[in-house]
Amino acid sequence: MPTGTKITLVPRSLTSADLPGPFWEIDLLKEQGYEAPDPARVKFQLSLEIGLAGSAAADAF
């Protein structure tokens, strides 16, 4: 049963070992980062942590 409590989720970090070395950890606050040589053919594994706003806890996906 819904309680009516609104929660806000925030991404904590993103990583992909498939990206070249300096781009392995993805910084969402940076305006520039890795760009694939052929943007029409991109495939890579992505891991991310998401947690509640105001909490240090997060779940990995």
Side-chain angles (χ1 to χ4, degrees):
M1 174 178 245
T3 62
T5 303
K6 181 180 177 181
I7 62 171
T8 302
L9 299 176
V10 294
R12 300 274 184 229
S13 67
L14 289 88
T15 58
S16 177
D18 293 338
L19 296 177
F23 303 108
W24 187 77
E25 187 167 341
I26 300 165
D27 184 346
L28 296 175
L29 300 178
K30 287 178 71 172
E31 292 185 19
Q32 296 181 350
Y34 176 74
E35 186 172 328
D38 182 355
R41 296 180 52 133
V42 176
K43 178 181 172 183
F44 63 90
Q45 174 274 331
L46 176 70
S47 299
L48 63 136
E49 292 183 343
I50 298 175
L52 293 171
S55 170
D59 290 305
F61 297 91

